[in-house]
Structure formats: C-alpha cells, structure tokens
C-alpha cells in the first residue's frame, strides 16, 4: 500500500511566497520564460537592497532585454503587473498586483531607466486611435474574462506573444466594433488558415465584416465561403493554379462582385475575352471590360450579346464604302499594237533601189 507523504516546512525565513491563484490560473497558460521573470520579481519584492534594471534581470535569467520586456508586457496584459515609463518611453517602475486583485494592495519595485519600451500605435499604416480603444466597464467581469481568454487564444493561433499593438487592435474589435469573442476567434482562425498572420490584414478583414453588417460566426462563415468561391473561380478562369489571389487581385474581384454586382458567369466571360485578346491573364484588361459593361448596365449574359450585336451593326453602318480598285494587268506586252502592209513595204524598198 502506498503511504501518504507528509511535507514539513522548516524554511520559515528567506522564502518567496507564490499565490496559489497564480499557480492555478496564470502559470499554466504562460510561457516558461515569462514565469521565470514573474518569480524573479517576486523574489526581489521585499529586498531592500535590490537595485534592478532590465539589463540586470536579463543577465540573471540568461535572457535578452527584449525577452524581459516581452514578459513585462505579458503580465501587464494579464493584470498582474503595471509599468510606468518616463518621457523617453523607458521602463522606470514596475508595480506587482497581488492576487486576487484588490484596491490598495500593491507594491512597487523601482527600476533604473533601461531600454526603450515604445508602444506602437500603428500597424503597417493601419492606425488604431488610442482614444477609441476603451475597456469595458470594470464591473463587467464576464467581458473581462472573455477578452483575456480571447487574447490567449489569439496567441496560440498567431504563434507568438502579443505585442501591445496586437492587444489594442483585438480590444478594438471587442469594444468598439462590438464583435463577439466567438466571431473574433473565427476571424483570426480563418485569416491564419489562409496564410495571413499580420494584424494589419486581420484588421482589414474585421473592418470589412463590420461594414457588411456581419455580427455572427455563421454569417462570417457564409461570407468566407462566398469569398473563396469568387476568388478561385476567377483564378481558374484565368488559368491560374496552385496559389491564392494577391491583395491587388482581391481588390479587383471585390470591385466586380460587390461594387459592380456582377455574377460569376459575367466575370468569367470577361476573363475569357481577356485571354483571347492578350493571351495571358490580366486583371487590368478584364477590369476595363467589366467597367464598360457596368457603364452599359449589363446584368445578364444576354445583355452582353445585345451589346455585341449593336457594336457589330454600328461597325457595319459606319464603315466607309471604298470603290473597288481595278485589277492591275500582269501582261508585259501592255502596249499599242500596230498593223503593217507587207506588200506596200516591199514596193517601197524596190523603188528606193
């Protein structure tokens, strides 16, 4: 029979206490290096002789300074740490929040200025105004838990620790666009599956969904199915295989389907005429055809036939009638023939003698 082990604690001093809630709810989800940083901060929390810098912590834990800063940002996002920065955006103070979080029960670790911890507010030209990124009400505990869970899931899909910009953008989806956690999760999942991990790209898709009034996961799935069908139908019509559409090509396809409202059979006809004319796929050439049809109020394939017939008729009536040229004679003896009286010529010759 296996005996029960009894643990006795003889180290009453020189110890660092770790809250059970941290082990149960935070440690499991965190990167191991982040846990090391948090424990290191706990270790020096009550050390009156501690003079910490980001560089010192990096040396002690055999990490880079950027690794330490990423850990700080992670625990700040989880609500267990607060950072204060100076005018140069350098970390100057850290505040560890006790678990469970309660007002007035926090302690501060002062740190010397270290490397820059600048928080970017733009992603590849796509700006998320800081004034519009607002948290849900503090008493909305359910919303806070949903957002924290969503950020964790986003990290798993993107395969990285979220930057402050990533967190701001996803929070913007949640708070300002009023997207549900399920919808945002599907948004990130579908973008990653299509090979797009850029937060800029994910933001563009989110804004597009918001403009289209997509508010549920099912609506988003339907839109994604339609999007994939449109893109690959056009690529197949051009004879393009084994790749997805480029960003500029997607812009053209969305213009033809969403702005012009063309059905796929009309777009395929334009692609076919493009190949016949240029002998290669050209979205620009197809766009000129479809723009012309849009301006002519084409809605069905039969409308194109009517336009073709009208064009041929106009071509026939306006073409100038040119007189037929007389055929050029190929006869090398093309000169005036003469007739001679041989008897008269003979008499003239005899008389001359």
């Amino acid at each position: 029979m296996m005996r029960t082990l009894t643990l006795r604690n003889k180290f009453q001093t020189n110890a660092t206490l770790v809250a059970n809630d941290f082990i149960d709810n935070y440690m499991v989800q965190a990167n191991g290096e982040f846990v090391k940083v948090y424990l290191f901060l706990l270790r020096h929390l009550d050390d009156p002789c501690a003079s910490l810098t980001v560089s010192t912590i990096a040396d002690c834990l055999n990490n880079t300074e950027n690794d330490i800063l990423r850990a700080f940002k992670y625990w700040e996002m989880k609500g267990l740490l607060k950072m204060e920065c100076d005018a140069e955006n350098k970390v100057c103070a850290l505040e560890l929040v006790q678990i469970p979080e309660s007002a007035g029960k926090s302690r501060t670790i002062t740190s010397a200025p270290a490397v820059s911890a600048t928080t970017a507010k733009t992603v590849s030209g796509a700006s998320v105004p800081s004034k519009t990124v607002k948290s849900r009400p503090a008493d909305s505990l359910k919303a806070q838990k949903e957002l924290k869970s969503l950020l964790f899931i986003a990290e798993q899909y993107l395969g990285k620790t979220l930057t402050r910009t990533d967190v701001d953008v996803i929070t913007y989806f949640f708070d300002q666009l009023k997207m549900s956690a399920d919808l945002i999760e599907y948004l990130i999942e579908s973008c990653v599956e299509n090979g797009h991990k850029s937060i800029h790209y994910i933001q563009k898709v989110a804004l597009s969904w918001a403009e289209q009034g997509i508010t549920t996961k099912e609506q988003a799935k339907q839109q994604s199915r339609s999007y994939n069908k449109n893109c690959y139908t056009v690529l197949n019509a051009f004879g393009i295989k084994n790749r997805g559409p480029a960003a500029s090509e997607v812009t053209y396809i969305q213009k033809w389907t969403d702005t012009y409202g063309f059905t796929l059979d009309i777009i395929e006809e334009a692609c076919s005429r493009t190949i016949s004319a240029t002998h290669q796929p050209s979205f620009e050439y197809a766009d000129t055809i479809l723009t012309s049809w849009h301006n002519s109020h084409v809605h069905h394939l039969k409308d194109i036939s009517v336009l073709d017939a009208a064009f041929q008729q106009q071509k026939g009536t306006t073409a100038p009638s040119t007189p037929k040229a007389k055929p050029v004679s190929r006869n090398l003896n093309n000169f005036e023939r003469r007739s001679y009286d041989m008897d008269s010529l003979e008499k003239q010759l005899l008389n001359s003698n």
Side-chain angles (χ1 to χ4, degrees):
M1 183 179 65
M2 184 176 295
R3 295 184 178 181
T4 303
L5 298 178
T6 302
L7 298 178
R8 294 186 177 88
N9 182 11
K10 293 185 178 180
F11 303 94
Q12 299 298 328
T13 59
N14 194 28
T16 299
L17 298 179
V18 181
N20 290 334
D21 200 30
F22 173 81
I23 298 173
D24 295 339
N25 301 315
Y26 295 91
M27 187 181 71
V28 176
Q29 300 177 356
N31 180 295
E33 297 300 320
F34 296 170
V35 175
K36 285 170 55 178
V37 171
Y38 184 80
L39 294 178
F40 186 88
L41 295 178
L42 282 180
R43 161 68 179 84
H44 292 277
L45 186 64
D46 293 317
D47 187 354
C49 299
S51 178
L52 298 178
T53 66
V54 173
S55 178
T56 302
I57 298 174
D59 291 340
C60 290
L61 299 180
N62 196 25
N63 280 334
T64 66
E65 294 182 355
N66 284 336
D67 291 334
I68 302 304
L69 289 173
R70 279 194 291 269
F72 289 171
K73 292 176 182 178
Y74 176 82
W75 292 120
E76 183 182 36
M77 182 265 291
K78 292 296 183 181
L80 301 187
L81 181 69
K82 294 181 180 179
M83 288 195 298
E84 294 181 8
C85 299
D86 58 18
E88 298 179 354
N89 282 324
K90 294 182 178 180
V91 178
C92 58
L94 302 174
E95 183 178 354
L96 288 177
V97 179
Q98 290 185 354
I99 306 172
E101 183 177 352
S102 58
K105 293 185 179 180
S106 59
R107 302 177 184 179
T108 301
I109 298 177
T110 303
S111 171
V115 297
S116 175
T118 305
T119 301
K121 291 297 180 186
T122 59
V123 186
S124 303
S127 177
V128 180
S130 58
K131 292 182 179 180
T132 63
V133 181
K134 300 178 181 179
S135 300
R136 300 226 175 188
D139 58 348
S140 180
L141 184 59
K142 180 180 178 181
Q144 291 179 4
K145 288 183 176 180
E146 283 184 347
L147 181 58
K148 286 185 177 181
S149 176
L150 181 61
L151 294 173
F152 171 73
I153 292 171
E155 285 186 337
Q156 310 311 307
Y157 279 121
L158 299 177
K160 67 170 188 175
T161 301
L162 299 182
T163 65
R164 171 55 56 188
T165 300
D166 298 335
V167 173
D168 285 347
V169 171
I170 295 174
T171 304
Y172 175 77
F173 301 159
F174 192 70
D175 285 341
Q176 300 301 313
L177 298 184
K178 306 301 181 184
M179 300 176 95
S180 66
D182 286 343
L183 182 58
I184 298 174
E185 180 180 346
Y186 177 73
L187 164 69
I188 299 173
E189 176 187 0
S190 60
C191 289
V192 171
E193 285 182 351
N194 289 321
H196 301 286
K197 291 188 176 182
S198 164
I199 197 66
H200 171 65
Y201 182 91
I202 295 172
Q203 181 184 356
K204 286 184 66 177
V205 176
L207 294 174
S208 174
W209 286 3
E211 290 175 359
Q212 298 175 53
I214 295 175
T215 58
T216 67
K217 183 177 179 180
E218 187 55 40
Q219 289 175 332
K221 285 184 175 181
Q222 180 62 37
Q223 193 275 348
S224 296
R225 286 192 291 266
S226 175
Y227 163 82
N228 291 332
K229 180 181 179 182
N230 293 342
C231 288
Y232 287 102
T233 297
V234 173
L235 292 180
N236 287 333
F238 275 136
I240 300 174
K241 307 289 185 181
N242 302 322
R243 74 166 177 84
S248 59
E249 296 169 348
V250 170
T251 301
Y252 275 121
I253 295 171
Q254 289 177 337
K255 175 183 178 182
W256 302 337
T257 56
D258 299 340
T259 304
Y260 289 170
F262 284 136
T263 55
L264 289 177
D265 55 352
I266 294 178
I267 297 175
E268 286 180 292
E269 178 64 20
C271 295
S272 176
R273 296 189 181 203
T274 297
I275 296 295
S276 297
T278 65
H279 306 290
Q280 63 182 357
S282 171
F283 281 80
E284 294 82 1
Y285 193 93
D287 184 61
T288 61
I289 296 175
L290 290 166
T291 300
S292 174
W293 289 350
H294 174 70
N295 294 336
S296 299
H297 307 289
V298 168
H299 300 289
H300 307 283
L301 280 177
K302 62 182 181 181
D303 298 335
I304 300 174
S305 301
V306 173
L307 282 180
D308 290 342
F311 175 76
Q312 293 298 331
Q313 183 179 1
Q314 182 182 11
K315 183 179 178 181
T317 56
T318 58
S321 58
T322 56
K324 293 183 179 180
K326 293 183 179 180
V328 178
S329 175
R330 299 295 181 184
N331 188 359
L332 296 178
N333 297 321
N334 189 18
F335 57 88
E336 184 180 353
R337 295 180 181 273
R338 297 180 180 181
S339 60
Y340 296 97
D341 185 348
M342 298 304 296
D343 293 336
S344 175
L345 288 175
E346 185 177 358
K347 289 179 180 182
Q348 292 178 11
L349 289 173
L350 290 174
N351 293 330
S352 63
N353 291 333

